[in-house]
Amino acid sequence: KNQVEQSPQSLIILEGKNCTLQCNYTVSPFSNLRWYKQDTGRGPVSLTIMTFSENTKSNGRYTATLDADTKQSSLHITASQLSDSASYICVVSAGRGSTLGRLYFGRGTQLTVWP
Amino acid sequence: DAGVIQSPRHEVTEMGQEVTLRCKPISGHDYLFWYRQTMMRGLELLIYFNNNVPIDDSGMPEDRFSAKMPNASFSTLKIQPSEPRDSAVYFCASSFSSGTVIDYGYTFGSGTRLTVV
């Protein structure tokens, strides 16, 4: 069964600290994996997208890693800021070649950054 | 670019009424997606279009839901008749194809919060 599991469900950290969010998936065939940030009341915004051959990708203070063998991804946030408070959603796309495959969504990790 | 534009931002309607949600994708994007988000189920893909043609509507919950894309710059999601369990935030997203990764520039709209009472 194709699934995307994220952990933890919620996380509270102090401003300036680092944190790592986890995403495990069982989606096959794998096409790509993305991390989204969703602020309250807004639409999700893409942070990173990684294909099978990529194992790390950065976007400012956000660094995503992908281990396609173990089907795990992580999102590392460095020097957290209050504006990082949001839900972070992992999305895995199934498919091959140029065909858009079905998208599988994690339930998200709710991150709260305290001053 | 104004991004993906959805209207209305909020909609409150009575059970049994018809509801129409609207979306204007980013110019030049050839894919358009409709999503639903609830606390219980998270984000769910309802249907997506490629070059105005519906490709996969397997996520549409039932026949009360229908979506159209009459041209490259406009799409609608209609619920008729609406029910309280349809209450959710509905997102539209668009993207373009490039090489073998066909969904670059994946951009969500701000969503329509639907409340059916």
Side-chain angles (χ1 to χ4, degrees):
Chain A
K1 184 178 179 182
N2 291 317
Q3 285 185 313
V4 178
E5 300 287 343
Q6 290 188 244
S7 63
Q9 187 174 11
S10 62
L11 180 64
I12 299 175
I13 62 173
L14 294 178
E15 187 178 14
K17 299 296 185 182
N18 304 334
C19 68
T20 300
L21 314 180
Q22 299 290 344
C23 174
N24 297 335
Y25 62 93
T26 58
V27 176
S28 181
F30 174 86
S31 176
N32 60 68
L33 182 147
R34 321 150 205 267
W35 284 93
Y36 284 92
K37 177 188 178 188
Q38 185 176 21
D39 294 315
T40 301
R42 307 293 294 275
V45 174
S46 179
L47 295 175
T48 63
I49 178 170
M50 290 183 290
T51 58
F52 186 88
S53 59
E54 298 174 296
N55 55 25
T56 186
K57 184 164 282 189
S58 292
N59 179 359
R61 295 180 296 103
Y62 301 99
T63 299
T65 64
L66 173 64
D67 186 333
D69 292 330
T70 62
K71 298 186 176 182
Q72 296 179 325
S73 177
S74 65
L75 180 68
H76 186 74
I77 304 174
T78 304
S80 61
Q81 301 175 358
L82 298 179
S83 59
D84 293 331
S85 296
S87 178
Y88 291 83
I89 303 170
C90 175
V91 183
V92 180
S93 176
R96 294 193 186 279
S98 60
T99 302
L100 177 67
R102 182 179 176 85
L103 298 178
Y104 295 88
F105 296 85
R107 295 297 303 274
T109 292
Q110 183 64 46
L111 174 66
T112 303
V113 180
W114 283 2
Chain B
D1 195 324
V4 176
I5 300 173
Q6 291 187 247
S7 64
R9 285 300 308 275
H10 303 275
E11 177 79 36
V12 180
T13 189
E14 290 185 345
M15 182 174 64
Q17 296 298 307
E18 177 181 293
V19 175
T20 300
L21 311 181
R22 298 172 176 77
C23 175
K24 176 180 169 55
I26 292 175
S27 177
H29 282 194
D30 55 352
Y31 283 86
L32 183 138
F33 308 82
W34 281 101
Y35 291 87
R36 178 171 67 177
Q37 188 175 42
T38 61
M39 290 293 293
M40 291 293 294
R41 301 171 69 91
L43 264 172
E44 302 173 280
L45 177 63
L46 299 177
I47 184 172
Y48 77 90
F49 296 82
N50 177 219
N51 292 320
N52 313 337
V53 177
I55 303 301
D56 184 353
D57 65 353
S58 59
M60 296 287 262
E62 48 197 275
D63 292 344
R64 298 184 296 106
F65 286 70
S66 63
K68 294 182 179 180
M69 192 165 186
N71 57 63
S73 59
F74 184 67
S75 177
T76 60
L77 177 67
K78 186 176 295 186
I79 308 173
Q80 166 65 18
S82 58
E83 297 181 3
R85 60 193 170 113
D86 300 330
S87 298
V89 181
Y90 291 81
F91 288 102
C92 176
S94 69
S95 70
F96 64 94
S97 52
S98 176
T100 58
V101 179
I102 67 168
D103 44 359
Y104 280 116
Y106 210 107
T107 304
F108 282 81
S110 296
T112 294
R113 181 174 294 278
L114 173 65
T115 303
V116 183
V117 298

